[in-house]
């Protein structure tokens, strides 16, 4: 079976979905060229601040160079060992904890430290840059917005804490100091969540409040672990010296390994679903790339309509397996286009596919989306209107069944108008208009 033009090798696609599932083709452009203005503003603003801090620190001289070097190396190692969490989120727990600790550092082994805000930003930025170099050397495109967020957190904490510590002559740990650090790091976490939500909403073109809720939920556990570790390292170093930097980084390393394993399990699960979705293509029941194209369209539509990250993940599973019921057919449908089959045959395929998915025992919501994907807008019987995910699958599947991998703009427009003509009975008009918005942008 020949490979169609819409397919690429795994190295040619980039994940942007909730689990890295909505595949977007990489463009051969430098990473600094972007159509996302908010991302560009963040990266350029933080980059300028880091450059000013580096130049200022170099001209004024480094205060406590051995301490600065130790924290810089820890941050660099943490950046080198960064992880990718569910939702395609990049995190560097050890690097960020080290940055927080250096911003809060009062003394090392009883000797007060005198570095200012500029040196904190310079050390953190240098450590992040050094940790990124090995990734760049092996051809991995840097996630500059995530690195910029880590430097921004250090900048906010240093700018709020160090002048206050100097004004109040804070040199030793106390309840007041601990409380102040806790409040400031909590506020910095909220700012970081807000920034990441804005970037996510801009990248996925989803609603800001939905992105904010998803980011807060996704980053809460790691945020607590990183923030508490950063505060503990800063307080411990006042007594134990730089040994505290290593001792209190160890628990965070264990947590990072656990987070990494969790992310790998979920990634493996998603890859299994993707492989299963290919069975209908390999068997000749549907066109090559059909499931992935439907998944991309459905993901874009769902983001337009403001679905949460959990709903996006369930929808991705459902779209990848929405045609798996065709495996029960004696004769494949011509071209695999279920939209051209009779309503009775469509329901039979959907129900058989749902039954197969329910056998997993853990994807009941996905099975329900697949089961009701071919129902009319008002639903069948007493069950009422189908779930929004099912209505999205119905529109995305019908569009790809009629368009396929064709790039003909006139054909796409004609199919879109055909879907609009049936919005009073078959298709959800909101879903169809969201699809129109995606097509207009592309």
């Amino acid at each position: 079976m020949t490979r169609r033009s819409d397919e690429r090798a795994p190295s040619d696609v980039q994940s942007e979905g909730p689990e890295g599932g909505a595949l977007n083709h990489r463009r051969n452009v430098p990473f600094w060229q972007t159509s996302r203005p908010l991302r560009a503003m963040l990266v350029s603003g933080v980059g300028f601040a880091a450059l000013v801090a580096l130049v200022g620190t170099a001209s004024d001289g480094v205060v406590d160079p051995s301490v600065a070097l130790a924290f810089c190396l820890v941050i660099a190692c943490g950046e080198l060992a960064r992880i990718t969490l569910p939702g395609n989120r990049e995190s560097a727990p050890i690097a960020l904890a080290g940055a927080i600790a250096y911003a809060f550092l009062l003394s090392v082994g009883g000797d007060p430290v005198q570095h200012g805000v500029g040196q904190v930003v310079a050390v953190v930025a240098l450590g992040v840059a050094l940790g990124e170099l090995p990734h760049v050397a092996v051809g991995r495109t840097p996630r500059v917005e995530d690195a910029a967020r880590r430097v921004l957190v250090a900048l906010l904490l240093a700018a709020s804490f160090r002048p206050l510590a100097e004004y109040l002559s804070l040199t030793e740990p106390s309840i007041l100091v601990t409380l102040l650090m806790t409040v400031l790091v909590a506020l910095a976490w909220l700012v970081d969540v807000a920034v990441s939500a804005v970037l996510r909403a801009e990248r996925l073109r989803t609603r800001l409040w939905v992105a904010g809720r998803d980011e807060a939920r996704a980053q809460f556990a790691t945020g607590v672990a990183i923030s508490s570790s950063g505060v503990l390292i800063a307080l411990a170093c006042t007594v134990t010296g730089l040994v505290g930097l290593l001792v209190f980084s160890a628990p965070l390393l264990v947590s990072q390994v656990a987070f990494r394993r969790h992310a790998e399990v979920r990634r493996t699960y998603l890859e299994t679903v993707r492989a299963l979705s290919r069975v209908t293509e390999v068997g000749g029941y549907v066109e090559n790339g059909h499931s992935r194209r439907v998944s991309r369209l459905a993901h874009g539509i769902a983001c337009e309509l403001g679905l949460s990250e959990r709903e996006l993940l369930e929808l991705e599973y459902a779209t990848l397996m929405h045609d798996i019921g065709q495996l029960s057919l004696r004769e494949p449908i011509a071209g695999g286009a279920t939209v051209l089959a009779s309503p009775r045959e469509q329901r039979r395929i959907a129900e058989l596919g749902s039954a197969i998915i329910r056998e997993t025992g853990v994807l009941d919501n996905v099975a329900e989306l697949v089961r009701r994907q071919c129902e009319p807008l008002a639903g069948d019987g007493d069950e009422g209107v189908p779930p929004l995910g099912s209505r999205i699958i119905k529109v995305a599947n019908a569009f790809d069944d009629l368009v396929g991998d064709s790039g003909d703009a006139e054909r796409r427009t004609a199919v879109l108008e055909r879907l609009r003509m049936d919005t009073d009975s078959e298709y959800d008009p909101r879903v169809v208009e969201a699809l129109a918005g995606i097509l207009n942008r592309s």
Side-chain angles (χ1 to χ4, degrees), residues 336-355:
T338 53
V339 72
L340 302 178
S342 66
R344 180 179 179 182
E345 189 73 3
Q346 290 182 31
R347 291 187 182 92
R348 178 171 172 267
I349 293 171
E351 289 173 357
L352 289 171
S354 175

Side-chain angles (χ1 to χ4, degrees), residues 181-362:
M181 290 180 178
T182 303
V183 171
L184 291 178
V185 79
L187 293 175
W189 178 80
L190 290 175
V191 172
D192 184 56
V193 167
V195 172
S196 62
V198 169
L199 295 176
R200 182 178 179 83
E202 183 182 48
R203 185 178 80 248
L204 299 182
R205 296 184 180 274
T206 189
R207 298 173 185 176
L208 181 58
W209 70 269
V210 174
R213 181 187 61 192
D214 289 340
E215 288 298 311
R217 288 177 177 176
Q219 296 187 38
F220 181 77
T222 54
V224 170
I226 293 171
S227 301
S228 58
S229 297
V231 172
L232 285 174
I233 291 172
L235 295 175
C237 285
T238 61
V239 178
T240 63
L242 293 177
V243 176
L245 176 60
L246 300 178
V247 171
F248 285 90
S249 295
L252 194 58
L253 179 61
V254 175
S255 300
Q256 180 168 324
V257 172
F259 286 135
R260 185 189 297 274
R261 287 182 177 177
H262 173 66
E264 288 175 350
V265 168
R266 295 188 63 170
R267 191 178 303 113
T268 301
Y269 194 76
L270 179 59
E271 291 300 326
T272 302
V273 172
R274 287 178 181 164
L276 184 61
S277 72
R278 292 276 295 165
V279 173
T280 53
E281 299 176 11
V282 174
Y285 288 90
V286 299
E287 290 187 353
N288 281 347
H290 169 72
S291 297
R292 288 184 295 164
R293 291 195 301 267
V294 173
S295 179
R296 286 196 293 268
L297 283 174
H299 181 268
I301 294 170
C303 288
E304 287 274 341
L305 298 177
L307 268 67
S308 68
E309 185 172 347
R310 178 184 60 81
E311 293 170 323
L312 287 173
L313 179 58
E314 291 178 349
L315 179 63
E316 181 175 11
Y317 287 157
T319 52
L320 288 173
M321 297 188 291
H322 74 282
D323 272 332
I324 199 170
Q326 291 200 45
L327 296 175
S328 62
L329 300 178
R330 293 182 179 179
E331 294 292 335
I333 300 174
T338 53
V339 72
L340 302 178
S342 66
R344 180 179 179 182
E345 189 73 3
Q346 290 182 31
R347 291 187 182 92
R348 178 171 172 267
I349 293 171
E351 289 173 357
L352 289 171
S354 175
I356 293 173
I357 296 171
R358 287 188 192 278
E359 290 297 321
T360 64
V362 294

